[in-house]
Amino acid sequence: MVSGEAWTDLVKRGQRRQYPRGAVLLRQGETANVVIALAEGIVKVVQTVPSGEGVPLALRGAGEVLGEMGALLDRPRSASVTAVTTCTGYVVLAHAFRGYLARYSLEGAVYRLAVERMQENEHLHAALTRLPIRARVARVVSHLAVEVGVPDDHGAVCVQLGMDREELAVMAAMSRSSVMAALRDLHATGVLTLGRGRLVVNDAAALARLFEE
């Protein structure tokens, strides 16, 4: 959304910080007095609902700004952000971030991105209600691969999940046992390779066909 020069300007306004895996970068309910420009690593966005359950909303990677809407709207954090891998971020004060957006005339673009992501999540959840079990898992995995997947030299895409099977089941709106069965099936057919805390999409086209038919 911004040039390399503009991104460099943003990180110069912040304080560099390292976050180990599992660290909480932003906490739901807290005052949004800073944003974090994520330079390295992957984070997980989780919202705690009234029942107390944590609902995974998304994974985000390097080049993202975290907590921007709370800073713009001056509202408490709507979700928590946790490091999936070791992360490097630049902590920018909210007022400095607003000044940065004004300098580059980016306020409208940030709002549009927020709306687009909200609509994308709504479309994802709407699709999950009509898909069979294996197709639901394929749709969620494909979504995560687009968000934070890293291609290798052989055309496969590695996804650091940063969530256990329970959380993946919540995201796919199904039971843990159903998610595990679907993942094992996709692994057996060679579409995916399962690993600890991650998976590899070996055939993105085959994965997409499962939920596009």
Side-chain angles (χ1 to χ4, degrees):
M1 192 170 66
V2 300
S3 66
E5 178 184 357
W7 175 259
T8 299
D9 187 12
L10 175 61
V11 299
K12 282 182 178 178
R13 297 168 187 249
Q15 181 177 4
R16 188 177 186 272
R17 285 196 60 183
Q18 292 283 124
Y19 300 92
R21 180 181 177 186
V24 178
L25 284 69
L26 303 172
R27 195 177 302 275
Q28 183 173 337
E30 288 183 341
T31 301
N33 54 1
V34 300
V35 302
I36 299 175
L38 187 62
E40 297 176 357
I42 296 173
V43 298
K44 174 175 61 178
V45 183
V46 177
Q47 186 175 67
T48 302
V49 297
S51 67
E53 182 180 34
V55 179
L57 300 179
L59 297 177
R60 298 284 181 248
E64 297 277 358
V65 176
L66 311 172
E68 75 285 1
M69 291 311 297
L72 273 176
L73 300 175
D74 194 23
R75 292 180 180 174
R77 308 281 185 208
S78 60
S80 296
V81 179
T82 305
V84 169
T85 64
T86 300
C87 294
T88 300
Y90 291 82
V91 181
V92 181
L93 295 175
H95 69 83
F97 178 64
R98 290 191 290 267
Y100 165 82
L101 294 181
R103 176 177 179 179
Y104 291 94
S105 301
L106 288 172
E107 299 97 328
V110 170
Y111 282 116
R112 285 194 299 274
L113 179 61
V115 171
E116 286 171 3
R117 282 182 166 164
M118 181 176 64
Q119 291 175 336
E120 182 179 319
N121 283 332
E122 289 175 351
H123 292 159
L124 173 62
H125 290 296
L128 294 179
T129 61
R130 60 177 175 76
L131 291 172
I133 288 175
R134 193 168 70 152
R136 286 190 191 187
V137 174
R139 181 69 181 83
V140 170
V141 169
S142 181
H143 170 75
L144 296 177
V146 170
E147 289 290 328
V148 296
V150 179
D152 66 16
D153 294 335
H154 307 289
V157 178
C158 180
V159 182
Q160 295 288 344
L161 284 175
M163 61 180 77
D164 58 27
R165 301 299 188 253
E166 294 281 359
E167 291 178 302
L168 189 59
V170 171
M171 198 169 187
M174 54 199 296
S175 69
R176 182 181 186 277
S177 59
S178 296
V179 165
M180 287 302 299
L183 288 174
R184 285 194 293 266
D185 183 37
L186 292 170
H187 177 83
T189 59
V191 175
L192 301 179
T193 299
L194 303 180
R196 187 174 182 179
R198 68 170 197 161
L199 54 82
V200 178
V201 179
N202 299 313
D203 191 337
L207 190 68
R209 284 196 295 272
L210 291 172
F211 59 83
E212 290 177 348
E213 294 176 350

